[in-house]
Amino acid sequence: MYLFYILKNNLYLFLIILSMIILFIIIFILYKLIKNKIFINKLKGLIYDEENKNFLLKYFNEKYTDYKLYKKSKKIEEIAVKYDLKLIKLLKMDDIWINYLIKKNNITDYYRILKYNFDKGLFKCFLISLNDKKYADILKKWMEKKFDTFFMKYIALAGNGENFNGDRAFAIYNDKIDEIREISGDQEWQVRFFSIKILLNDKNTKSIRAIWESINDPNPQIRITIINELNSDEPERLYNQLFNLVLNDPIFDVRNAAWTRIHTEFSNYYNIKKLKLSDEQTIHLLQLLRTNVIDDENFAFNYINDSNLEKRFYAAKYLDKNKSLLKLCLNVSLGDKESLERNFNILKHATEVNALSFLSVINTTNNPASLLICSKILHSHGNRIYIKNLAKKVFSIFSDNIYLKELYESTLKCLHSRGDDEALKILKDELIKRKNNEEISNLIFRYIPSRGDEIFLDILFEIFINNDYKSLDELRKLLLKMPESIILEKILHIILSIDNKCSEKTKIESLKLLGEMNKQYCVQLILENLSSLSLEDTIKYTKILANYQNEIFKNKVEWLLNSADSKLRAKLISSLPETGIKDFLPIIKSGIKDPDPDVRISCVWSLIGYKDNKSYISVISLLRDPLERVRVEVSKAIGEHGTSEILEELKKILKDENEVNSVKIAAITGISKSKNLKSIEVLTDRMEKENDNELEKELIKALSNKKDKNEIILIIKIFKQAIPKLKKAITESFKIMGDIGEELLIDLLKEKNISLHNYIAEILEHSGFIESRIRKLSYRDPAVRRETAEILSLIGTKTAYRGIVLAARDPDEEVRVKVIKALEKLGTKDCTDILDSLKLDPDLRVRKYTLWALERLEANNL
């Protein structure tokens, strides 16, 4: 009001302000006109200025948003109609109109789309028409003008398989249902899909038939649509079609849709237990199984061990997802070996097709049986990170308890085959912890991989040098796998050291290790140190060395055999036969007269090792060697390997009253190992005459080593002619043989050698065998009682028949039958009374044999 008052009283000021407003309006109008002119010119430039077209397109893209262009739709449309319709596509106005039609349902945009780009926007117009009948009428009229017939097909093609509300489409376009039904068989799947979506809502029998005929349409989207939307008055028919798709359709999405609908609406028809399926159908079903459904789980378990890996793969994949494999791994006990083995085999088959998630139990369980299964799997399958976690857990719970030893060793195998450096460091800590336990350390040595050389070498050599193990065989095998340069340097230092830091045992073990390394440049070093090794190791490493350059080896050996050190010469001579090189025989033969007794003994054994029979006679002279220990070794050696002539010489030794017992015992020991049958005669001849209790025991013991069939027969023949003293000694030797000797005698009885039968029976009776067998007639196992009855029958002595009589009322039928057969051989009154009592036996077969036996006995008594 105040401002108005001022203007009213000041006309000049009022005119100035009014002029400024008019000027502003004029400037604004001019600006808009100029801007509009520029806009129109640039639009024309897009049409005509080919040289700057790209620049102008960029200008419009940067300057004008879709919204700004949409606001200028009318002007753009005017220019396009007047000059060139391609302007609409250049500016993508058709896309903008389609987008805004969807947002605003503007009827002007609807017409524009149909007019300028119906191919792209036709289906959008169709979708909008489903919600507003006026748009549907517009579309129908426009399409009828545009196309003479089947305009619904053009809508379908424009949709390109896009989904829509079929129920609404049927309601709006039911007047076109004949046309829609007719295009249900079109070659283009998009057209068939469009048709089926609408026909699914039509109850006309023609439409229903078209739907049923399309349930196996080549296009999966159409099959899925029918699966999901078909409502039928024939539920069983629909179920059968759905299940057919589940089993046979090649597309997973189709099978899954059918499976879902079956278990949503038709579960009462479904029974997985009664199915007979092809491999392909089985795989399809395995892919769809439901978790936490016991029937589905059982179905999958049917194929977890299948030889068809594809079926097994899907079964395992399902069981893994269902946590069934996890449960199998957890629900085990070391005490139930059968269940443990069964579950392991199932899980092993699953891992072969890469179903491995159950291995995660390693992180959560302390069940040794579960850990054992996982460890066996991890030998070859599964994430290696689990090996580290497994090792930590197993090493923490392990003790010397054999109950967990299998788990412990299985874990070591995992570390050996697939453990990474971090896991191997855990193993090193375990070795340090157990290094004073020889049994466990040796077990660990067996499973340390050669790739862990840098991790383990220090601790391994610490144990090699300092631990007083009984055997370092496993450790030597392990060190041989390590880098040669490091190992060789360390063991040479030990062998050649003159200080007392390393024990003699360590030096010996180092020499063994050097020998097994097979280094030609260490031949002399090894040969010169052989005296520190056992004979067994000397033979082993000499044989290895002989495989090197032959001439070099022979020259070095000959040089050493002519050296002064008798201990080295003796060891070397003993080992030479294993080389197979006979060039050394002259030196060895001459060594029989060597002043050193150990050399003389070695020469004897070496000649035997070479099997040089011609040289055995020359050895006989050593039976009179001045040293007892030489005579002992010679007697032992030639007794085992000598000829009949040498055995005669040993026989003289045994008779010699002036020879010491140690030599005689050595001779007896050698003779006991001889395969020459004359050795038995030598032993039994001495048994008959020997009065020395010590030697008599050795002779009996030596004879007990003769367990060959021919040897046994000869012993029995000697027993046949023997005086009581020798018979007693022979019987004692059979007692020492034990079960083996008794079995050999029984085998001879079974051969029915009549000439030896009574003597075999006599030996068995005096050895206590028969009483032992009679006691077995009370054993619970009927098989033992049957065998006993048969053996007693074979022996046939009075003592044996006492046992047979005891078995006459055995509850086992076969035992009673064997008894009756045995009693047939006798006709005493006691046996007849027993047979009379068996005539009333409830078993027909027993009664039959009883009557038969009585008839035989009566016939014999006539």
Side-chain angles (χ1 to χ4, degrees):
M1 292 297 291
Y2 179 72
L3 179 60
F4 179 74
Y5 175 77
I6 293 173
L7 291 173
K8 185 178 178 183
N9 291 286
N10 194 336
L11 182 59
Y12 180 73
L13 180 60
F14 173 77
L15 291 173
I16 291 173
I17 293 171
L18 180 61
S19 299
M20 289 177 67
I21 291 171
I22 293 169
L23 181 60
F24 176 79
I25 291 170
I26 293 169
I27 293 170
F28 178 76
I29 291 170
L30 288 172
Y31 169 76
K32 297 297 278 184
L33 290 171
I34 293 169
K35 187 177 180 182
N36 190 48
K37 184 66 174 176
I38 293 171
F39 180 74
I40 291 170
N41 288 336
K42 289 189 180 294
L43 288 176
K44 291 178 181 179
L46 273 177
I47 297 170
Y48 298 115
D49 191 353
E50 290 295 331
E51 187 177 341
N52 293 308
K53 181 182 289 187
N54 291 334
F55 171 78
L56 291 170
L57 279 173
K58 184 178 178 182
Y59 167 80
F60 277 106
N61 288 333
E62 293 175 353
K63 184 77 173 176
Y64 293 94
T65 62
D66 286 354
Y67 175 74
K68 288 182 178 180
L69 289 174
Y70 178 72
K71 296 297 286 182
K72 293 182 175 294
S73 292
K74 187 176 180 181
K75 180 57 67 177
I76 294 171
E77 185 180 4
E78 288 177 3
I79 298 297
V81 170
K82 186 174 181 180
Y83 296 103
D84 196 333
L85 289 177
K86 72 178 182 182
L87 180 63
I88 292 173
K89 290 189 178 296
L90 286 171
L91 291 174
K92 298 181 181 177
M93 291 305 297
D94 47 355
D95 290 333
I96 293 172
W97 289 331
I98 289 170
N99 291 335
Y100 276 93
L101 174 63
I102 294 169
K103 291 178 182 178
K104 296 186 176 184
N105 286 355
N106 188 303
I107 197 165
T108 304
D109 294 331
Y110 199 82
Y111 277 114
R112 284 171 173 159
I113 292 167
L114 292 175
K115 184 176 181 180
Y116 299 116
N117 197 348
F118 78 92
D119 288 336
K120 185 183 289 188
L122 179 58
F123 194 73
K124 301 299 181 186
C125 292
F126 167 74
L127 292 177
I128 288 171
S129 74
L130 298 182
N131 298 315
D132 193 329
K133 195 173 184 305
K134 73 177 180 182
Y135 285 109
D137 292 339
I138 293 170
L139 182 60
K140 286 178 185 179
K141 289 177 183 178
W142 185 86
M143 291 296 288
E144 285 169 354
K145 289 180 182 179
K146 185 76 175 176
F147 305 101
D148 294 335
T149 57
F150 294 111
F151 70 78
M152 297 302 291
K153 177 177 179 177
Y154 292 97
I155 296 175
L157 288 170
N160 198 30
E162 184 178 338
N163 201 11
F164 62 95
N165 189 322
D167 183 35
R168 290 290 302 157
F170 176 72
I172 298 294
Y173 293 94
N174 59 67
D175 58 325
K176 298 291 183 182
I177 198 66
D178 290 336
E179 181 182 332
I180 292 169
R181 192 182 300 122
E182 191 167 345
I183 63 174
S184 65
D186 196 88
Q187 292 184 7
E188 298 289 348
W189 74 267
Q190 297 94 333
V191 177
R192 298 197 306 276
F193 171 75
F194 180 85
S195 173
I196 292 300
K197 279 290 288 185
I198 298 172
L199 294 178
L200 279 165
N201 300 280
D202 185 15
K203 300 303 179 184
N204 185 284
T205 55
K206 292 181 180 180
S207 297
I208 293 171
R209 179 177 178 179
I211 294 298
W212 282 113
E213 290 174 352
S214 299
I215 201 165
N216 289 305
D217 189 275
N219 183 266
Q221 188 171 332
I222 295 173
R223 301 198 296 277
I224 291 172
T225 299
I226 296 174
I227 288 168
N228 291 332
E229 299 183 22
L230 174 58
N231 294 312
S232 175
D233 295 331
E234 301 176 86
E236 188 170 353
R237 181 185 181 189
L238 179 54
Y239 166 77
N240 289 333
Q241 286 287 356
L242 291 173
F243 196 65
N244 178 62
L245 290 170
V246 166
L247 295 180
N248 299 307
D249 199 285
I251 305 303
F252 176 78
D253 288 345
V254 176
R255 299 196 301 273
N256 188 50
W259 176 262
T260 302
R261 183 147 190 210
I262 284 173
H263 291 291
T264 303
E265 300 178 33
F266 301 100
S267 56
N268 56 318
Y269 288 98
Y270 176 73
N271 189 343
I272 199 171
K273 296 178 182 177
K274 296 182 179 180
L275 300 175
K276 292 184 179 179
L277 307 171
S278 68
D279 288 348
E280 292 74 20
Q281 290 173 333
T282 301
I283 291 168
H284 284 168
L285 202 52
L286 287 168
Q287 290 173 335
L288 295 168
L289 296 179
R290 300 158 294 166
T291 56
N292 302 317
V293 177
I294 190 64
D295 285 345
D296 287 12
E297 182 181 44
N298 290 337
F299 181 82
F301 270 121
N302 290 333
Y303 299 98
I304 194 61
N305 298 322
D306 204 283
S307 59
N308 183 318
L309 291 182
E310 198 168 7
K311 287 193 284 186
R312 194 198 304 176
F313 169 72
Y314 288 106
K317 188 176 180 181
Y318 163 77
L319 292 170
D320 210 11
K321 179 182 177 183
N322 198 48
K323 305 297 182 185
S324 305
L325 299 181
L326 188 75
K327 293 172 187 173
L328 278 180
C329 189
L330 285 171
N331 296 332
V332 285
S333 166
L334 290 179
D336 187 352
K337 293 292 183 184
E338 184 178 346
S339 175
L340 181 65
E341 188 65 22
R342 182 182 64 249
N343 288 13
F344 167 70
N345 285 331
I346 291 173
L347 292 169
K348 182 174 180 291
H349 283 125
T351 59
E352 288 171 359
V353 287
N354 288 310
L356 294 158
S357 69
F358 68 88
L359 288 172
S360 62
V361 302
I362 290 172
N363 300 328
T364 58
T365 186
N366 286 317
N367 180 358
S370 300
L371 295 173
L372 177 60
I373 287 177
C374 291
S375 68
K376 288 182 175 182
I377 298 298
L378 283 168
H379 292 170
S380 55
H381 295 83
N383 192 330
R384 292 169 66 193
I385 191 66
Y386 287 126
I387 296 175
K388 177 183 67 175
N389 299 339
L390 174 72
K392 285 180 180 178
K393 189 159 287 189
V394 172
F395 292 161
S396 68
I397 65 174
F398 177 69
S399 65
D400 293 340
N401 188 344
I402 195 169
Y403 188 66
L404 296 176
K405 191 167 182 181
E406 183 183 3
L407 169 60
Y408 189 78
E409 186 167 2
S410 183
T411 303
L412 294 177
K413 286 180 182 178
C414 290
L415 290 160
H416 176 269
S417 60
R418 302 179 67 228
D420 59 18
D421 283 356
E422 194 172 347
L424 293 180
K425 287 175 183 176
I426 295 171
L427 180 58
K428 178 184 178 181
D429 293 340
E430 175 69 4
L431 177 58
I432 293 170
K433 177 182 174 183
R434 308 281 183 181
K435 69 179 181 179
N436 294 321
N437 185 322
E438 183 172 350
E439 180 183 358
I440 301 302
S441 294
N442 278 329
L443 188 61
I444 295 174
F445 294 153
R446 201 177 303 161
Y447 294 107
I448 292 176
S450 56
R451 66 180 183 278
D453 54 332
E454 292 185 2
I455 297 171
F456 289 97
L457 266 178
D458 289 343
I459 182 63
L460 292 179
F461 263 99
E462 179 185 331
I463 294 171
F464 186 77
I465 293 170
N466 299 324
N467 279 59
D468 190 23
Y469 287 177
K470 292 179 182 178
S471 171
L472 290 173
D473 291 347
E474 290 295 338
L475 181 51
R476 285 203 315 277
K477 289 177 186 176
L478 174 59
L479 289 173
L480 286 170
K481 299 174 185 176
M482 300 296 176
E484 289 185 348
S485 57
I486 300 174
I487 302 299
L488 189 61
E489 181 183 350
K490 288 182 178 292
I491 61 176
L492 287 176
H493 177 75
I494 294 169
I495 293 171
L496 299 174
S497 64
I498 57 175
D499 53 34
N500 294 321
K501 289 183 180 179
C502 294
S503 67
E504 187 63 26
K505 181 181 178 182
T506 301
K507 290 186 177 182
I508 291 171
E509 292 296 335
S510 298
L511 187 62
K512 290 179 182 178
L513 185 57
L514 182 61
E516 291 175 10
M517 288 181 74
N518 291 346
K519 297 301 170 193
Q520 293 186 27
Y521 44 81
C522 294
V523 172
Q524 185 164 327
L525 176 63
I526 296 171
L527 287 173
E528 290 179 346
N529 286 276
L530 286 178
S531 59
S532 62
L533 298 177
S534 67
L535 178 59
E536 181 182 0
D537 287 329
T538 301
I539 292 171
K540 176 181 176 181
Y541 299 118
T542 303
K543 189 175 181 180
I544 292 172
L545 296 173
N547 290 326
Y548 297 150
Q549 296 181 34
N550 198 267
E551 288 302 316
I552 295 175
F553 174 77
K554 285 198 294 185
N555 291 337
K556 289 185 180 295
V557 169
E558 287 178 5
W559 180 74
L560 289 171
L561 288 177
N562 290 308
S563 67
D565 193 284
S566 59
K567 186 177 179 181
L568 173 59
R569 285 189 290 119
K571 279 286 177 67
L572 194 53
I573 288 168
S574 297
S575 67
L576 289 176
E578 288 296 323
T579 67
I581 301 173
K582 294 188 176 182
D583 296 20
F584 304 119
L585 274 171
I587 298 177
I588 295 170
K589 288 177 183 178
S590 65
I592 291 173
K593 297 179 180 180
D594 195 275
D596 188 275
D598 289 321
V599 173
R600 297 200 297 275
I601 292 170
S602 295
C603 287
V604 172
W605 283 109
S606 188
L607 290 172
I608 287 170
Y610 273 114
K611 297 181 181 179
D612 186 30
N613 295 337
K614 295 178 181 179
S615 303
Y616 289 178
I617 299 299
S618 63
V619 173
I620 292 176
S621 62
L622 291 178
L623 290 171
R624 301 299 176 184
D625 194 274
L627 282 182
E628 178 184 330
R629 67 188 181 93
V630 175
R631 299 199 303 276
V632 167
E633 287 295 321
V634 173
S635 298
K636 191 187 299 182
I638 65 175
E640 180 178 350
H641 300 281
T643 61
S644 296
E645 185 180 356
I646 287 177
L647 288 172
E648 281 295 330
E649 291 297 322
L650 290 174
K651 189 175 180 180
K652 293 176 185 177
I653 293 292
L654 295 178
K655 290 180 180 179
D656 190 347
E657 294 181 0
N658 296 318
E659 185 58 87
V660 294
N661 276 6
S662 60
V663 175
K664 291 182 178 181
I665 291 170
I668 292 169
T669 301
I671 294 169
S672 74
K673 297 176 183 178
S674 173
K675 295 301 177 183
N676 192 320
L677 289 178
K678 184 174 179 61
S679 64
I680 294 173
E681 295 176 6
V682 172
L683 292 173
T684 54
D685 179 68
R686 195 60 226 158
M687 280 180 181
E688 193 174 51
K689 300 169 184 175
E690 187 60 63
N691 295 317
D692 188 309
N693 286 338
E694 181 185 15
L695 292 177
E696 187 175 2
K697 288 179 181 178
E698 290 296 327
L699 288 164
I700 292 170
K701 180 180 175 183
L703 190 63
S704 71
N705 288 327
K706 306 297 184 178
K707 297 172 184 175
D708 184 76
K709 181 180 177 181
N710 292 328
E711 291 174 334
I712 295 294
I713 291 173
L714 178 57
I715 292 171
I716 297 169
K717 286 180 178 178
I718 293 171
F719 181 87
K720 180 178 177 180
Q721 307 292 334
I723 62 174
K725 179 183 178 183
L726 180 55
K727 282 189 175 182
K728 182 181 177 183
I730 290 173
T731 302
E732 287 298 316
S733 71
F734 275 103
K735 283 183 181 179
I736 294 173
M737 287 184 199
D739 293 342
I740 296 174
E742 290 168 351
E743 288 172 7
L744 289 168
L745 292 174
I746 295 299
D747 288 341
L748 288 174
L749 281 178
K750 289 178 180 178
E751 291 180 6
K752 298 183 179 180
N753 191 326
I754 298 172
S755 64
L756 298 178
H757 180 278
N758 291 338
Y759 305 102
I760 294 172
E762 186 180 346
I763 292 170
L764 290 171
E765 187 161 331
H766 285 91
S767 70
F769 172 79
I770 296 176
E771 289 82 356
S772 172
R773 283 291 168 172
I774 290 173
R775 286 192 290 273
K776 290 188 176 183
L777 289 170
S778 61
Y779 277 31
R780 178 178 296 180
D781 187 351
V784 175
R785 302 200 302 275
R786 293 169 198 158
E787 182 189 17
T788 299
E790 186 173 354
I791 290 173
L792 291 173
S793 177
L794 281 171
I795 295 170
T797 65
K798 183 179 179 181
T799 307
Y801 270 99
R802 284 199 187 102
I804 292 171
V805 170
L806 291 174
R809 289 195 176 278
D810 193 279
D812 183 74
E813 174 191 340
E814 289 191 37
V815 174
R816 297 197 300 274
V817 170
K818 291 179 185 296
V819 169
I820 293 169
K821 285 183 176 180
L823 291 174
E824 286 176 345
K825 300 174 184 177
L826 297 178
T828 64
K829 185 178 182 303
D830 290 340
C831 293
T832 305
D833 291 342
I834 292 170
L835 291 173
D836 285 337
S837 69
L838 291 174
K839 287 193 294 184
L840 303 175
D841 194 277
D843 191 284
L844 175 62
R845 190 179 174 199
V846 174
R847 296 198 300 274
K848 177 181 176 182
Y849 273 102
T850 302
L851 293 171
W852 186 49
L854 281 170
E855 289 173 1
R856 289 294 183 90
L857 292 174
E858 288 173 4
N860 290 337
N861 291 331
L862 291 176

